């Protein structure tokens, strides 16, 4: 995952170097998840018919090639857009197929906890993406950062190829169309979590794609201000998010899962409504608030995915995960783009009002989540 958030980590640099508008920057940040959305229904559904390990290996190889292509040929909006879209296909072949590979290899009462750990590790990957990309780009330039992302994806290919044992997957009856998603859509219990996940990811990826740019604006507007760099804050935010995701998943096991998720959504929506308007506060205070916002966003992440997997028909678990990812990461594509559009429409990235309204738009979307969770 080193390359997944490499562009948002360096967004201010690319905006300046390539003369991008905020809307164009939003397109490049979000198109990863558009590529993911196109590919994930096919790749994840295939895991009901074959060992998910095979799909993962193909996805890791694709991710490596996409990062390498960006390194060698990206020089502006269109070339960056194309390579980032292809990197989304690589993510589609690794993230949820990796979850299916885990589910096929563990069972019993601790399965839900393993699913939660796996899902929370997405935040660890996010943190690493911001940290590694920022550090390498500062020292050697952005091509080196993306080249390292390619090498990391190739290393993931090797690790899974060697260390993960194969399993025999017994597919459903051959008369069943593996790409018939109607039974999944009729599963109200699973779809409640799926729709809740969609609004969660809209907020999550919208915030993660723009928080470095927001913090950079706050820092630049306060001459003499010091503290952690924006990419360092984003890195720590990913680690905080991982911890709260695991905590939220554990709370969902102990208490009512839907209530825990609804509480998290209402809390993060409230934070989104105000954080963008706090740019005039001291930089250290804004950075601390951003860490708190990261924590609140992530409380329900693993709990929502675990809920969808546990509510799925075992014979259609791969298809359920595919729909879960399709809607979730489709929203993840729109979130960063919509954020950039609101930012441009409200006056641009140099005004506190524009940042406030852009973050508030994320809160307005995630506030719809508790309604989706009422499906049972």
């Amino acid at each position: 995952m080193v390359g997944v958030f490499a562009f948002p980590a360096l967004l201010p640099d690319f905006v300046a170097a390539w003369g991008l508008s905020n809307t164009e920057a939003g397109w490049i940040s979000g198109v990863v998840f558009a590529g993911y959305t196109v590919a994930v229904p096919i790749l994840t559904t295939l895991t009901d018919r074959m060992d998910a390990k095979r799909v993962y290996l193909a996805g890791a190889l694709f991710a490596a090639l996409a990062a390498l292509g960006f390194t060698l040929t990206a020089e502006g909006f269109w070339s960056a857009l194309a390579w980032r879209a292809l990197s989304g296909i690589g993510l589609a072949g690794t993230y949820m197929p990796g979850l299916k590979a885990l589910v096929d290899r563990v069972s019993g009462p601790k399965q839900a906890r393993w699913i939660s750990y796996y899902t929370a590790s997405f935040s660890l990957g996010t943190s690493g993406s911001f940290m590694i990309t920022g550090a390498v780009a500062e020292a050697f330039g952005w091509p080196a950062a993306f080249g390292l992302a390619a090498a990391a994806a190739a290393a993931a290919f090797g690790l899974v190829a060697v260390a993960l044992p194969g399993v025999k997957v017994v597919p459903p009856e051959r008369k069943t169309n593996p790409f018939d998603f109607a039974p999944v859509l009729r599963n109200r219990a699973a779809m409640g979590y799926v729709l809740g996940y969609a609004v969660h990811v809209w907020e999550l990826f919208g915030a993660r794609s723009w928080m470095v740019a927001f913090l950079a604006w706050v820092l630049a507007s306060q001459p003499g201000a010091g503290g952690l760099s924006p990419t360092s804050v984003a890195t720590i935010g990913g680690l905080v998010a991982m911890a709260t995701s695991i905590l939220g998943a554990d709370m969902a096991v102990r208490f009512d899962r839907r209530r825990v998720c609804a509480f998290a959504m209402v809390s993060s929506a409230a934070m989104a409504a105000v954080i963008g308007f706090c740019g005039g506060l001291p930089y250290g205070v804004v950075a601390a608030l951003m860490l708190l916002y990261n924590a609140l966003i992530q409380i329900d992440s693993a709990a929502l995915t675990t809920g969808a997997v546990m509510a799925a028909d075992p014979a259609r678990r791969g298809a359920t995960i595919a729909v879960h990812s399709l809607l979730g990461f489709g929203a993840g594509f729109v979130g960063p783009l919509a954020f950039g559009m609101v930012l441009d429409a409200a006056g641009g990235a140099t005004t506190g009002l524009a940042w406030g309204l852009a973050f508030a738009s994320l809160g307005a979307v995630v506030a719809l989540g508790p309604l989706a969770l009422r499906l049972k």
Side-chain angles (χ1 to χ4, degrees):
M1 280 189 59
V2 170
V4 174
F5 284 92
F7 184 84
L10 305 175
L11 192 149
D13 297 333
F14 283 116
V15 168
W18 292 346
L20 301 174
S21 69
N22 294 308
T23 300
E24 288 174 330
W27 268 103
I28 300 173
S29 293
V31 78
V32 172
F33 310 113
Y36 181 103
T37 301
V38 170
V40 77
I42 299 171
L43 297 178
T44 305
T45 302
L46 285 175
T47 64
D48 283 333
R49 299 279 176 171
M50 66 176 67
D51 187 355
K53 175 181 177 178
R54 295 168 58 188
V55 179
Y56 183 98
L57 292 175
L61 182 61
F62 209 94
L65 294 175
L68 182 62
F70 192 102
T71 302
L72 298 176
T73 68
E75 56 184 10
F77 175 74
W78 290 107
S79 55
L81 192 74
W83 285 117
R84 294 301 285 166
L86 293 176
S87 71
I89 298 176
L91 181 62
T94 53
Y95 182 38
M96 287 301 173
L99 175 61
K100 182 60 162 53
L102 172 68
V103 171
D104 288 342
R105 288 163 175 80
V106 297
S107 60
K110 291 189 176 182
Q111 186 185 63
R113 188 175 295 273
W114 281 112
I115 295 171
S116 299
Y117 285 156
Y118 179 91
T119 307
S121 73
F122 188 91
S123 292
L124 181 61
T126 298
S127 179
S129 183
F130 280 108
M131 177 183 69
I132 295 169
T133 302
V136 174
E138 183 178 358
F140 304 107
W142 69 260
F146 277 86
L148 182 60
F157 175 94
L159 179 64
V160 171
V162 172
L164 191 69
V167 297
K168 182 178 180 180
V169 176
V170 180
E173 296 181 11
R174 292 294 176 182
K175 295 180 181 180
T176 302
N177 178 4
F179 297 102
D180 177 13
F181 297 115
V184 176
L185 299 177
R186 289 195 295 267
N187 185 339
R188 290 173 58 88
M191 285 305 299
Y193 291 112
V194 169
L195 294 174
Y197 184 71
V199 298
H200 159 73
V201 175
W202 178 303
E203 179 191 31
L204 174 66
F205 289 171
R208 283 187 176 168
S209 294
W210 285 97
M211 67 172 142
V212 170
F214 172 64
L215 291 172
W217 170 73
V218 174
L219 188 59
S221 65
Q222 300 179 12
L228 294 172
S229 69
T231 53
S232 296
V233 175
T235 298
I236 297 171
L239 296 175
V240 170
M242 179 179 179
T244 56
S245 182
I246 294 173
L247 175 63
D250 190 61
M251 291 172 60
V253 172
R254 297 172 181 271
F255 306 104
D256 182 82
R257 182 175 299 275
R258 285 183 172 84
R259 290 186 178 181
V260 170
C261 293
F263 170 79
M265 291 172 173
V266 171
S267 299
S268 66
M271 192 68 185
V274 300
I275 191 168
F277 295 105
C278 295
L281 297 177
Y283 174 74
V285 174
V286 179
L289 290 174
M290 186 59 72
L291 292 179
L292 175 60
Y293 183 39
N294 274 259
L296 295 175
I297 290 176
Q298 200 70 9
I299 290 174
D300 57 343
S301 187
L304 288 166
T305 298
T306 303
V309 172
M310 302 302 287
D313 176 354
R316 292 188 176 273
R317 194 163 275 156
T320 302
I321 294 173
V323 173
H324 184 74
S325 291
L326 173 66
L327 297 183
F329 281 74
F333 158 64
V334 179
L337 173 60
F339 191 108
M341 294 174 70
V342 172
L343 201 58
D344 276 337
T350 59
T351 69
L353 176 63
W355 283 110
L357 293 176
F359 275 105
S361 72
L362 301 179
V365 172
V366 79
L368 300 173
L371 298 177
L373 293 172
R374 294 179 66 87
L375 292 175
K376 295 183 180 181

